[in-house]
Amino acid sequence: MKEYKNILKKVTFMSIGVLFLAYSLSHAKEYIYIFSHNGKFLKLDPYSLDFIDLGNLWWLNLYEIERVIQDGKKKQILLMTSKFNNDEDMGKNKVSTFDFLSESHKGDLYLSKTIKSPDENYFINDVLLSHGGGKAVISLDSGGEGKKKSLVIDLDNYSISGIIEHFNASRSSCFSLDGSILYSPLYGNSKEIEYVRLDGKDGIVYKISYEKIGDKEIKSMMPVVCKDGILLIRENAKSPLYELPLTLFFYDMQSEKVISKIHIDFDGMFYVLSNGKLLINEKKYIPNEMPDGSVIGIRSKSVGRLHLYDIGTGSKIASIPVHEEGEIVGISSDAINVYYFSSNILSRIDLQNHTVVKEQKVPFMKVKLAFYRTD
């Protein structure tokens, strides 16, 4: 096992990184990969957080890693990367790729496949994986022109099995539990959800409206997060948003019914877990006030508390103190271990015992939110 000091001498990057948890197929063991923005990475033990190895994906030197996902079926790591050809028109000149990384029998990462946009007028905007990793849906965007479409990719042979016109799959989208339907909530004042049936050939985009929750019409609400066909919708006590208290509705998009709700008196980032729990990273939202008294946008600040709720009963299970100004960067598939990053400290949190069990300093000053997915 390499010591942290020895590895730190070799690691010369102190930049934006991405944390990703992945299963090693050859050793049947879990690892943590932390990627820098330019392709350098560290490999760690997911429990002790000890350093195992470091490496460099040299072909990503000019690219920015935007997303990290795992193909649970083939045990591959998927990187969505991008770069801009110039600074004048960042929409039309964005070049995005979708890289598949695999582990060799020695445990080394290598590039197994790259997918680029088949249309030079569109760039890759986002990507989603179906359950089991059999299909990927890649969202394409035309930049400032406002055109959108999505490609359905068969991951067995990396071929395009379908094109969905006028549909945008994003990180706020999700699949139904059986993976046959893809839901994409719309933002703004539409209070609608678009969805497509991936098991059909019609390519029709359908819509659901949640104008009313039960018999109640809600004026100030927005979709928050979507998982396994369940949409979390937040209702604010007042308008505009970020007024407290909040009511959180859990909306089953297939039955078009509310299955539960939770009342909270704080705001934050919300994570629906695979075991029927809700995890919240508490945040304060602060207006950006200008010298003339005007307000431009809202910034968030983590206060150093995580909250765990039972979705079925709506009851609070625990509050967990953590470092301030941090983000949840990974959640294990069994929803037991949560990985939290603040400054250059990576923490592993045990949600069964509601405590921080391990911390490790890493050579990164900031970590992007990454998505963890496995069978």
Side-chain angles (χ1 to χ4, degrees):
M1 186 73 66
K2 296 184 178 70
E3 296 293 334
Y4 173 73
K5 291 183 179 179
N6 294 332
I7 289 185
L8 191 58
K9 291 179 182 178
K10 298 180 181 180
V11 180
T12 59
F13 52 96
M14 294 287 290
S15 53
I16 296 175
V18 179
L19 178 140
F20 176 67
L21 292 84
Y23 281 97
S24 166
L25 184 62
S26 57
H27 302 291
K29 186 178 179 181
E30 284 184 304
Y31 300 113
I32 291 174
Y33 286 94
I34 300 180
F35 293 89
S36 75
H37 75 286
N38 59 358
K40 293 181 180 179
F41 66 87
L42 293 174
K43 187 176 182 179
L44 299 87
D45 183 278
Y47 302 103
S48 66
L49 302 185
D50 290 336
F51 289 81
I52 297 174
D53 199 4
L54 59 86
N56 184 14
L57 307 177
W58 55 267
W59 66 90
L60 296 179
N61 186 42
L62 298 178
Y63 281 74
E64 174 80 14
I65 297 177
E66 294 189 6
R67 292 279 310 280
V68 182
I69 319 171
Q70 185 183 359
D71 178 355
K73 182 178 180 181
K74 293 188 175 184
K75 305 298 183 293
Q76 295 181 113
I77 299 173
L78 285 71
L79 303 181
M80 193 182 89
T81 63
S82 67
K83 71 175 181 179
F84 295 100
N85 290 334
N86 58 59
D87 296 328
E88 295 180 0
D89 190 347
M90 297 183 71
K92 296 191 67 175
N93 288 282
K94 184 177 181 181
V95 178
S96 301
T97 62
F98 187 43
D99 294 332
F100 292 76
L101 305 180
S102 299
E103 276 194 352
S104 69
H105 67 281
K106 295 182 179 180
D108 299 322
L109 287 181
Y110 67 93
L111 178 65
S112 57
K113 182 69 176 179
T114 294
I115 293 179
K116 297 182 178 181
S117 173
D119 190 332
E120 63 180 10
N121 295 316
Y122 289 80
F123 63 87
I124 296 177
N125 187 48
D126 222 322
V127 60
L128 291 171
L129 288 179
S130 64
H131 295 279
K135 292 180 180 179
V137 177
I138 297 177
S139 175
L140 303 180
D141 197 301
S142 62
E145 297 179 8
K147 297 179 181 178
K148 59 183 180 180
K149 60 183 175 181
S150 296
L151 305 178
V152 182
I153 307 295
D154 187 338
L155 294 182
D156 289 329
N157 52 25
Y158 305 107
S159 62
I160 299 175
S161 60
I163 299 177
I164 309 169
E165 298 288 348
H166 314 297
F167 182 82
N168 192 5
S170 69
R171 63 193 65 193
S172 61
S173 305
C174 71
F175 292 90
S176 59
L177 193 57
D178 63 4
S180 64
I181 301 175
L182 177 59
Y183 296 98
S184 185
L186 302 179
Y187 286 85
N189 297 319
S190 66
K191 300 177 184 176
E192 289 182 326
I193 304 162
E194 292 185 337
Y195 71 94
V196 293
R197 299 184 181 277
L198 298 180
D199 52 359
K201 301 294 183 180
D202 53 13
I204 297 175
V205 179
Y206 300 91
K207 287 188 178 182
I208 303 170
S209 174
Y210 56 92
E211 184 72 28
K212 290 186 177 182
I213 299 293
D215 296 327
K216 180 181 179 182
E217 183 175 352
I218 301 175
K219 294 182 179 180
S220 177
M221 64 179 177
M222 64 177 291
V224 178
V225 63
C226 176
K227 183 177 178 64
D228 296 340
I230 304 298
L231 176 63
L232 172 56
I233 303 171
R234 56 178 287 162
E235 176 199 7
N236 292 73
K238 300 177 181 179
S239 185
L241 296 177
Y242 308 112
E243 292 286 344
L244 299 174
L246 300 177
T247 300
L248 305 177
F249 294 92
F250 294 87
Y251 183 73
D252 187 323
M253 293 181 286
Q254 191 160 7
S255 65
E256 300 183 33
K257 294 180 179 180
V258 173
I259 56 176
S260 65
K261 61 182 179 180
I262 295 174
H263 301 284
I264 58 175
D265 58 2
F266 56 88
D267 212 328
M269 292 290 294
F270 302 86
Y271 304 86
V272 177
L273 307 183
S274 59
N275 59 356
K277 305 295 191 299
L278 174 69
L279 184 63
I280 307 173
N281 180 13
E282 184 179 345
K283 290 177 175 283
K284 287 185 177 180
Y285 291 91
I286 306 167
N288 289 319
E289 295 187 2
M290 307 303 291
D292 62 359
S294 62
V295 176
I296 301 179
I298 296 175
R299 57 187 173 90
S300 65
K301 178 182 179 180
S302 297
V303 301
R305 283 188 297 272
L306 304 183
H307 304 277
L308 187 64
Y309 285 81
D310 184 281
I311 293 176
T313 63
S315 59
K316 187 173 185 177
I317 300 173
S319 292
I320 306 169
V322 291
H323 293 284
E324 294 185 4
E325 293 297 332
E327 301 291 341
I328 293 172
V329 293
I331 302 173
S332 64
S333 59
D334 55 12
I336 293 176
N337 291 302
V338 171
Y339 296 83
Y340 181 88
F341 197 89
S342 176
S343 185
N344 65 334
I345 298 176
L346 177 65
S347 303
R348 179 170 71 88
I349 301 164
D350 185 339
L351 288 187
Q352 287 185 322
N353 297 308
H354 318 135
T355 185
V356 177
V357 294
K358 186 67 179 179
E359 292 188 338
Q360 176 70 280
K361 287 186 177 181
V362 297
F364 296 95
M365 295 305 297
K366 188 176 181 180
V367 174
K368 281 185 175 180
L369 176 68
F371 291 82
Y372 174 78
R373 184 180 180 87
T374 186
D375 288 335

